[in-house]
Every structure is written in structure tokens, then in C-alpha cells.
Amino acid sequence: MGREKKHSLQLYDFAPERNTFREEVLQGLQDSRKELPSKYFYDDVGSQLFEQICELDEYYLTRTELRIMQEQIHNMVSLLGPNCLLIEYGSGSSTKTCKLLDALQSPAGYVPIDIAKEQLMRSVTALTTAYPALDVLPVCADYTSDFAIPSPTKPVSRRVAYFPGSTIGNFDREPALRFLQQIAKVCEGGGLLIGVDLKKDFNILHRAYNDSQGVTAQFNLHLLMRINQELDANFQLDQFGHYAFYNPGQSRIEMHLVSLTNQKVRIGDVEISFKLGESIWTESSYKYTLDEFAHLAAAAGFRVERVWTDAQQLFSIQYLTID
Ligand code: AVJ
């Protein structure tokens, strides 16, 4: 039996303040090339919309990653070894994590990190019920910020970061390198299990970000709704259009919200003008070849220990280690 954990559902809260959100939004929209950070998609509703995206036929990423996990889980956990501290960056609903937690040999603890507090607490509550012996130490934070990793009571053999979903694809080159370096520091002597989406037929990519049900469009537009609600703004959602395409020169999907008219929008007491056709860049999703990613990993000090992919080479899960 695990120890009694009545009081252990403590949240380590480093959530960014509303001021940070306002400042980043205003800064992004006052730039000559307007942009909004994609991390702000994931409030409660946004996280639910993303879960819906994951269910779409066209969105191959989640399904493929889950399949690889299922098939390779035993090889994965034997590399991670017993008594590791699993640290998940952007835990969301933790569905993929359950596969790991089911198979891991006596994990020392699990540290889910997420920016969406409600969803984090919901999934943690469910996890503690499903895994009563597991030491769950939730952290609410922007995981690219500087925060302390909580320590479990049990001794830790190694720290292993888990970063599934190809979220690394959201980072531009430099920030990706810096983030991997940050993980390398946190997990020194341990490793990183990471999901990386691969380069492929442009049409498959295009469909994944332009689904026929328009869920991705809704997800994109929800960012404006969130700004309306939280920052007292008056975006008219029907005056912006979802626009996503693959930019082969930059190896990335770019997602934009394009203004459908000349218009002015107020955010608090700040007015922003949009020309017809002007866009707000809301997300990049970089795609890698295995070689390209190995170079990036090496630049951050990691060694690629193992790579698992599906038969069509759509997606990869990689175990990187750091001495
Ligand atoms: C969460 C970063 C993996 O880039 O595919 C899905 C987010 N954006 N559809 C991605 C997303 C539009 C997603 N990641």
C-alpha cells in the first residue's frame, strides 16, 4: 500500500498573471507583423477544443503517437528504468501518460506541468484515484519559465522529462534549442522522452490543420474570444478567418487569423487597426527529419538513444539522454 496521501494534492502554482497575458497580447498586436503566442490557446475551452482536434480523422499526430506508445511501451520503460521521476511538460489530460504510468517500474513520482489550472487539477484528481501509490506533484506554470521542480519523498534514480505531442514543433529554432537546454539542465544524468512530428507529403500536413469540420478554425478563433473575455476586448469573431498552410522553406505549418475587412478592435483602452487581409500569426508547427532533430538535440547536449516511428514514418517518439 502506498502511504496516505490525504493532504498531498498540493498545487505548486507559478501561473502567469493576467497582466502578463495582457502585456504579451498588446505587444504582439502592436508589432508591425502581428502575432499572438500559441501557448494562450490552452485555457479551459481551448484545451477542450484541442482534445477535439486530436479525435479528428485528418489529425494523424495524436493517434499515431498513441499507437507507437502502445506498441513500444515495454521498450520505452526499460530504457527509463526503475524509480525515475517523470516530469511532463504540458500534461493536458495526461492520456498518453497513463500508458507510461501503467508500465513504469515503481516510478518515484510524477510531476505534471500545465498552464491550464482547471484541467490540470481535474486530471490530477483522476490520476490520484487511478494510481493511489503514485506521488503526484502538480505544477501550474508556463513551462518555458524558470520554476523549481518539486521533490517526491521516494529516492529518485533519474529525472526523465516527457514532452509528447510534438509540442516542440511550436518553438522557433532558437527557443527550441533554449528549451531543450533547459530540460537538459533539469534532467542531468537522466533523459527526455519526446514526440516529434516528421516531414511528409504536404497534402497530409495541410489536411491536418484544415480539417473538414472546422474544429481547428474554431480552436484558432477561440484565442480572440479568450482575449474578449479576459482582457475586455471587442474582437468580432466573424471578421477574422482561419488560415493555415505549410511553408516548406521554413519546414513549418503556419497558422494565422486573417482580417476579413478594414477594422479597428479595442483591447481595454488600446485600439488596434487591421487592414483587410492583414494577419495575426498565431502558431508555428515545425516538422523535422530524424537527422534534423538529431542535430538540434545534440546542440542542446542530448544523445539520441532510441527512435521509434510508425510504419509510414509520420511521427516519431525519441528517447534522448544527457550525461
Ligand atoms: C499541440 C503543438 C502539437 O502543432 O499540431 C493542432 C497544436 N494546432 N492543430 C500542433 C495544433 C493546430 C499542435 N501541437
Side-chain angles (χ1 to χ4, degrees), residues 173-197:
R173 308 275 171 215
E174 264 303 304
L177 179 60
R178 266 182 278 131
F179 181 55
L180 291 177
Q181 282 167 336
Q182 180 196 326
I183 295 181
K185 212 157 112 195
V186 168
C187 295
E188 209 184 327
L192 163 62
L193 188 65
I194 186 169
V196 182
D197 197 18

Side-chain angles (χ1 to χ4, degrees), residues 41-42 50 53 59 61 165-170 208-209 216 219 255 283-285 287:
F41 281 134
Y42 303 94
F50 179 64
I53 290 176
Y59 197 74
L61 288 84
S166 197
T167 309
I168 191 66
N170 284 158
Y209 294 85
T216 309
F219 173 72
M255 207 159 78
E283 187 178 55
S284 295
S285 193
K287 309 302 171 188

